[in-house]
Amino acid sequence: MDLFDSFKLSKEEITKDVYLLREFALHDSEHLLLADMRAVIGQAPLRNMMTPMGFAMSAAMTNCGELGWVADKAGYGYDTLNTNTGKPWPHMPASFLQLALTAAAECGYTDFVPDACLINQYKISASMGLHQDKNERDFTQPIVSVSLGIPAVFQFGGLKRSDKPLKISLNHGDVVVWGGDARLKFHGIMPLKPNSHAALGAYRYNLTFRKAG
Ligand code: MD6
Ligand code: FE
C-alpha cells in the first residue's frame, strides 16, 4: 500500500473557526520536525520568562523566525532579537514552515505567511492561564498550533475571560488552526498530568505559528 493511501485527513471544527487536525504533524516528516525543534532550542535555549507582573511563567519558551514573542517588565510583544543572547532568532526551519502552511491551507487559509514561531515547553504540572493572543498586527491571519509530546487539556472560551471554556485533549501530532471569529478568544492549558512520551520524555511542546509583523 502506498504511504499516501493510508493518510485520511481528520478535520473537526470544534467551535466556530477553530479546526482540529488530529495527528496532522505525524504525516509531515515527524522526525525532521523533532530534529529541527531540538536544533532551534540548541541555538536559542528555552527559558522561563517573567510576566510584567513579576511572575515567572511555568512554560519555558523560545522562538524561531523573523520575530519572537517575549515578555518582560515592559510588557508583551515581538522582538527581532533574542533578549537573552542579543542575536536574531534562529531561522524558521523548512519543516516547520511546510507544516504550518499545509495545515493552514487545509482550513482555507491559503495566504498564511508566518513570520514567528513560539515554542513552549511544559513540564509536569506546568500550565498556561487563560489569555488572548493579541500582540500580532493582522488578526485576519490565523494561528497554527502544533502539539508534541505528552497530552494536555486545552481550554478555549469566549471573548471575555469569564466565559466558560470548552476543554479538549491535545495529543502528540495534533494541530489546531485558529482564526476568524475565534482569533481573539481566551484560551489556555490546564496543568499537565504526569506522563511520558517515547521521543520527548515527560514534556509537552507547543509550536504556535503566527504572522506577527
Ligand atoms: C499551548 N497555545 O498550546 C498554548 N494560542 O501550549 C496557545 O496559547 C495558543 O494553541 C493561540 C492559538 C493556538 C494556541
Ligand atoms: Fe495563545
Side-chain angles (χ1 to χ4, degrees):
M1 189 173 66
D2 189 286
L3 256 182
F4 294 101
D5 293 336
S6 62
F7 175 56
K8 293 269 186 297
L9 178 73
S10 152
K11 182 167 82 177
E12 184 193 348
E13 190 174 11
I14 38 190
T15 186
K16 187 167 187 294
D17 294 334
V18 182
Y19 294 92
L20 172 58
L21 308 175
R22 287 274 184 215
E23 299 190 345
F24 190 81
L26 306 188
H27 303 283
D28 216 282
S29 48
E30 178 191 357
H31 294 286
L32 185 56
L33 189 73
L34 296 187
D36 285 342
M37 181 176 77
R38 289 190 174 100
V40 167
I41 292 169
Q43 290 175 61
L46 292 156
R47 77 270 197 224
N48 296 86
M49 290 191 275
M50 299 291 279
T51 67
M53 300 291 283
F55 298 105
M57 301 181 77
S58 68
M61 298 179 176
T62 189
N63 295 276
C64 62
E66 262 168 74
L67 292 167
W69 187 87
V70 292
D72 62 23
K73 281 198 274 312
Y76 304 108
Y78 287 91
D79 207 311
T80 55
L81 299 179
N82 180 348
T83 40
N84 259 27
T85 60
K87 290 192 293 193
W89 299 102
H91 290 295
M92 197 181 293
S95 65
F96 279 36
L97 193 59
Q98 162 83 10
L99 174 60
L101 295 183
T102 53
E106 285 296 348
C107 301
Y109 297 101
T110 50
D111 60 354
F112 185 38
V113 280
D115 56 13
C117 173
L118 171 64
I119 302 176
N120 293 147
Q121 182 204 55
Y122 299 78
K123 60 184 186 211
I124 306 300
S125 87
S127 63
M128 188 171 295
L130 288 174
H131 66 277
Q132 294 169 292
D133 285 27
K134 56 180 185 187
N135 301 128
E136 302 76 25
R137 285 230 179 99
D138 179 359
F139 297 135
T140 68
Q141 287 267 305
I143 293 182
V144 173
S145 162
V146 179
S147 292
L148 297 168
I150 69 173
V153 177
F154 191 45
Q155 296 182 292
F156 48 85
L159 292 170
K160 289 183 302 206
R161 191 186 297 277
S162 56
D163 291 337
K164 188 177 156 57
L166 296 172
K167 290 185 176 142
I168 183 126
S169 177
L170 295 179
N171 303 308
H172 183 68
D174 291 348
V175 176
V176 179
V177 178
W178 174 303
D181 289 351
R183 185 61 182 72
L184 288 172
K185 288 190 173 168
F186 278 90
H187 56 279
I189 292 286
M190 310 268 289
L192 259 69
K193 299 244 163 67
N195 209 327
S196 178
H197 181 268
L200 293 168
Y203 292 96
R204 171 177 184 265
Y205 294 85
N206 176 255
L207 315 177
T208 50
F209 295 92
R210 300 104 187 269
K211 183 185 186 312

